Amino acid sequence: QVQLVESGGGMVQPGGSLKLSCVASGFAISTEDMTWVRQPPGKGPEWVAAIDDDGGGTDYADSVKGRFTISSDNAKNTLYLQMNSLRPEDTALYHCGTRTGRARTVVWGQGTEVTVSS
């Protein structure tokens, strides 16, 4: 029932920009905190950014501060990650995630690939 679907990834040159989207279904993102996590190839997961349930509070990993912006659109039930000044080390599979229900079940999307390369 609960589902997250990411999109917007692709290949971009260093210094370029991409905007990722995460469409939620089965719950309203206005009721939950949301997060972006990435997995570089061959490496472990790295937390990227988070936004609170009402969109009023955000937080970022030091590696992306000043370059990435997390936002949400409650009317579209969609989470976004605007990525600017991209670097090769940003190359990763990007997942959106949340915890839902009374049990606070962890939910992740399938991910969208971002490749930063010349």
Side-chain angles (χ1 to χ4, degrees):
Q1 183 179 2
V2 173
Q3 187 176 21
L4 300 171
V5 180
E6 302 95 334
S7 63
M11 184 174 291
V12 64
Q13 295 182 357
S17 298
L18 284 173
K19 188 172 185 178
L20 308 183
S21 298
C22 170
V23 179
S25 59
F27 74 101
I29 63 170
S30 61
T31 66
E32 305 289 350
D33 297 342
M34 302 288 290
T35 189
W36 287 97
V37 173
R38 66 188 183 186
Q39 293 182 267
K43 298 182 180 180
E46 177 188 30
W47 174 76
V48 174
I51 189 167
D52 65 16
D53 51 357
D54 65 6
T58 59
D59 201 7
Y60 301 90
D62 288 342
S63 59
V64 306
K65 283 182 179 177
R67 300 188 298 122
F68 290 12
T69 302
I70 188 171
S71 63
S72 59
D73 186 331
N74 292 338
K76 297 181 179 179
N77 212 35
T78 300
L79 178 73
Y80 301 98
L81 185 68
Q82 177 66 52
M83 306 184 296
N84 299 325
S85 302
L86 284 162
R87 305 165 180 169
E89 53 263 42
D90 294 319
T91 296
L93 179 64
Y94 284 73
H95 300 268
C96 60
T98 191
R99 288 181 177 265
T100 63
R102 187 171 181 177
R104 312 308 296 155
T105 302
V106 176
V107 180
W108 297 103
Q110 83 293 331
T112 185
E113 294 276 3
V114 172
T115 302
V116 184
S117 176
S118 299

